[in-house]
Amino acid sequence: MRQHDILVECSQLVKEYKGTRNKPVRAVHDLSFSIRQGETFGLVGESGCGKSTLGQLMVRLLEPTSGTVRYTNFQDGRGNRKQEKAMRKENQIIFQDPYSSINPRKRIGWLVEEPLIIHGIGKDAQERKAMVCSILKEVGLDDSYLDRWPRELSGGQRQRVAIAIALILNPSFVVCDEVVSALDVSVQAQVLNLLQELQEKFGLTYLFISHNLQVVSYLSDRIGVMYLGGLVEMGDTEQIYHHCLHPYTKALFSASVDAFDSVKEDLLLSGDIPSPSRSPSGCPFHTRCISCMKRCIEENPSMVEVSPGHFCACHLIQGMNT
Ligand SMILES: Nc1ncnc2c1ncn2[C@@H]1O[C@H](COP(=O)(O)OP(=O)(O)O)[C@@H](O)[C@H]1O
Ligand SMILES: [Mg+2]
C-alpha cells in the first residue's frame, strides 16, 4: 500500500442547518480536502466553527446539503443498503463526552458486543464474547469490566470503552471528536497514547478534532485550521507548527499557553466569531484580522498552495508570493 493513497475525500461539502427565523446556519461551507490512508489529520478551530459537523458528515452520520464525501475503498453506495451498512462499519466516530455517548443502562460487555450483533459478526455468543474481551484488553480493560456499569467507571475508563465500541468492528477510518477534552489533564495523555498505539496496531486512519492546537499538534501528521465553516490553512504538522502563515492560525497559537518561536508577535484574538448565519463578506476572518486590507473586505481568498503541501487562504500571504 502506498503511503499517500487517499482514503476519504470531501468535495465542495456544504452543511446548512435550519436556524432561527428561517436563516440558514452555514456550519460547513464549500469545503474540499482529503485524508490519506494511515495518517492522522488534525482539525482545529474555535468552538462553533463547524468541526463536529464536518466530522459527522465524514462518517455519514449527517447528510450534506450539497457536495460529496467519498471513500476510495468503496464504490459510491448511496441508496444501496448493504453498501451503506458496510460503510458504517468501516467508518466510526468517538465523541467528546463518554458520559452521554454510552448508554448508562447497559453493562460494558453488552455495550461493546452490540455492534457485532447489529452487523451479524461472530457465529455465536461465545465467539462474540471472545472478541469483546480481546478489544477490551487492547484498550487496557480486563475481563472484570464485562459486567460493570458505566456509572462505576471513571471518565478515562469510559472513554476507553467508547474506543472499544468504535474499534470492535475493525474500521479503517475513525473520527475522534474532542475525545480528551472532557477528561482530567492527567488522563488525557494516556488516552492520546492509547489512540496512537491502536492506530499503529490496526492501521487506522484518524480525523482528530480538537479546539486545542497543542493536542492536535501532538498527534497529527497534517493539520487543517477551520474558521466559520471553511479551511483557512492546511499543511504538514511541521509547517503549521513552525511556519504557520494565516493570521488566524497565528492568533490561535499565541492564544495557546506556550507560544512558539515562529510566532513572536502578540496576536491574541479579539472579538467574537461571527454568527454562521451572518457570514461577513470577503474573507470570513477580516472582522477580527489585525492585517485586514481593503481587498479582504471585498473578496474571499481561495486556498493556494504556498509551498509543497502547505495551503493558505489569505490575500496577505498570496500578495507576498506574487
Ligand atoms: N443540529 C443543529 N441545528 C442547528 N445548528 C447547529 C446544529 N448543530 C450545530 N449547529 C451550529 O452549527 C455551527 C457549527 O457547529 P459545530 O459543528 O458543532 O462546531 P464545533 O464542533 O466546531 O464547535 C454552530 O454555529 C452551531 O451552533
Ligand atoms: Mg464540536
Side-chain angles (χ1 to χ4, degrees), residues 76-142:
D76 190 30
R78 287 233 167 251
N80 176 338
R81 278 183 61 195
K82 215 168 144 191
Q83 273 265 48
E84 280 286 324
K85 201 167 174 185
M87 269 192 250
R88 282 194 189 276
K89 176 173 169 292
E90 283 290 310
N91 305 298
Q92 296 286 325
I93 186 163
I94 306 166
F95 294 100
Q96 168 172 359
D97 182 6
Y99 291 84
S100 59
S101 64
I102 58 183
N103 187 340
R105 283 178 291 277
K106 299 288 181 186
R107 292 181 197 268
I108 304 306
W110 188 94
L111 289 166
V112 182
E113 186 185 354
E114 190 192 20
L116 295 175
I117 297 172
I118 292 173
H119 286 269
I121 296 168
K123 68 177 186 312
D124 53 28
Q126 198 186 350
E127 192 174 302
R128 285 193 300 272
K129 185 173 174 189
M131 294 164 93
V132 170
C133 292
S134 160
I135 197 73
L136 282 177
K137 193 168 162 215
E138 295 292 353
V139 301
L141 302 174
D142 60 37

Side-chain angles (χ1 to χ4, degrees), residues 48 51-53 96 177-178 209:
K51 303 180 299 298
S52 294
T53 302
Q96 168 172 359
D177 188 358
E178 304 271 10
I209 298 174

Side-chain angles (χ1 to χ4, degrees), residues 17-18 25 27 45-54 177 209 276:
Y17 296 107
K18 276 206 186 95
V25 176
E46 288 164 287
S47 174
C49 70
K51 303 180 299 298
S52 294
T53 302
L54 179 61
D177 188 358
I209 298 174

